[in-house]
Amino acid sequence: MMDVHTAEFMKSSAHPKECPAPDFPEYAFIGRSNVGKSSLINMLAHRNSLAKISGTPGKTQLINHFAIDLDKETCWYLVDLPGFGYAKVSKTSRTKWQRTSEQFLTSRANLMCVMMLLDSRHPPQKVDMEFMAWMAENNLPFVMVFTKVDKLNQTERAAFLPHYEKEMLKQWQRMPPVYITSAEKGDGRDELLRFIEQTNALFENL
Ligand SMILES: Nc1nc2c(ncn2[C@@H]2O[C@H](COP(=O)(O)OP(=O)(O)OP(=O)(O)O)[C@@H](O)[C@H]2O)c(=O)[nH]1
Ligand SMILES: [Mg+2]
């Protein structure tokens, strides 16, 4: 199976126009502040501090590109996007972040899939449901990535997905693909890398 050989920070961009050229397949990580976007990127890349992690939500305010295996033909990008829906930043700046992310997601020809991160400890949140509906309206392919499963006990671990599915199926005909992860323990890494490997193979044909 594919693994990550090199991982490096490429660029922070305040606007989609400033982003690296769309030369390689890329995967954007989106979700509420503190859901674990930066941690998951580090976990996939097997690097401790590639993407900045903080106990303070709202840390990632720019579009951050990371290049995996830049020296190889099989190069791909991970993109860390600003988190949305964090109550302690002003409403104006919150909508500005969301607009930046939305402009980014709808303007990248090389965007293969959005990784929609959801905290496995929390019941379905309105802002997440709305964001997934927005992606569907805009024909953006996405997968659901549940985070922090190491924080669940056995009972909670068995219950969270059926519970989420029940909520989703009120609005959706079927569930998008689901990945269950722990950045702490490495759960879901192989599955996500396999998905990325398979999806990268489609890039040439875009
Ligand atoms: N136990 C556990 N903690 C996690 C996991 N993933 C992230 N965390 C913690 O959750 C907090 C937020 O993680 P980040 O990766 O910074 O979250 P983020 O989504 O990038 O946050 P913003 O950049 O503010 O949008 C940090 O304290 C992490 O250590 C996980 O899988 N397990
Ligand atoms: Mg972050």
Side-chain angles (χ1 to χ4, degrees):
M1 197 190 83
M2 170 181 87
D3 207 345
V4 170
H5 299 99
T6 67
E8 60 203 273
F9 168 73
M10 283 270 312
K11 192 175 187 187
S12 286
S13 316
H15 191 276
K17 277 185 221 144
E18 299 160 15
C19 287
D23 295 341
F24 303 109
E26 76 187 6
Y27 300 83
F29 289 65
I30 191 119
R32 283 180 298 131
S33 278
N34 212 45
V35 70
K37 298 175 292 294
S38 303
S39 302
L40 187 66
I41 286 174
N42 290 335
M43 184 270 257
L44 289 173
H46 263 171
R47 298 292 184 282
N48 287 331
S49 51
L50 185 64
K52 297 276 178 298
I53 296 171
S54 135
T56 320
K59 179 82 185 168
T60 312
Q61 300 193 19
L62 296 164
I63 303 164
N64 291 310
H65 274 78
F66 302 95
I68 306 298
D69 297 338
L70 191 57
D71 57 335
K72 293 192 160 57
E73 265 175 55
T74 53
C75 175
W76 50 284
Y77 290 145
L78 292 168
V79 188
D80 198 0
L81 289 172
F84 56 80
Y86 179 58
K88 283 195 186 145
V89 289
S90 75
K91 192 153 191 195
T92 335
S93 100
R94 207 161 80 217
T95 45
K96 183 175 160 281
W97 291 355
Q98 190 154 347
R99 202 168 56 236
T100 301
S101 293
E102 289 176 357
Q103 278 171 359
F104 171 81
L105 293 172
T106 51
S107 67
R108 297 289 286 179
N110 59 331
L111 181 66
M112 305 304 286
C113 190
V114 180
M115 307 294 190
M116 175 72 203
L117 271 63
L118 302 154
D119 192 321
S120 60
R121 296 171 301 173
H122 303 322
Q125 308 282 304
K126 191 161 176 266
V127 64
D128 292 329
M129 300 295 279
E130 286 174 356
F131 196 78
M132 287 188 276
W134 177 84
M135 286 196 284
E137 280 162 25
N138 287 274
N139 295 317
L140 287 168
F142 71 93
V143 297
M144 298 169 84
V145 179
F146 288 94
T147 62
K148 309 192 187 185
V149 281
D150 58 281
K151 293 202 174 194
L152 303 184
N153 66 33
Q154 257 187 331
T155 315
E156 292 165 335
R157 194 164 173 147
F160 84 89
L161 188 55
H163 180 68
Y164 213 107
E165 201 166 332
K166 197 174 159 211
E167 248 344 272
M168 283 291 282
L169 293 179
K170 288 179 186 169
Q171 288 180 38
W172 293 72
Q173 281 183 339
R174 58 183 173 81
M175 280 289 277
V178 167
Y179 292 90
I180 293 169
T181 68
S182 162
E184 195 84 10
K185 306 277 184 217
D187 297 29
R189 184 173 187 269
D190 291 352
E191 289 80 0
L192 272 176
L193 285 181
R194 198 171 300 125
F195 167 71
I196 289 168
E197 180 179 31
Q198 287 166 357
T199 310
N200 280 348
L202 307 173
F203 180 65
E204 296 287 324
N205 302 324
L206 279 185

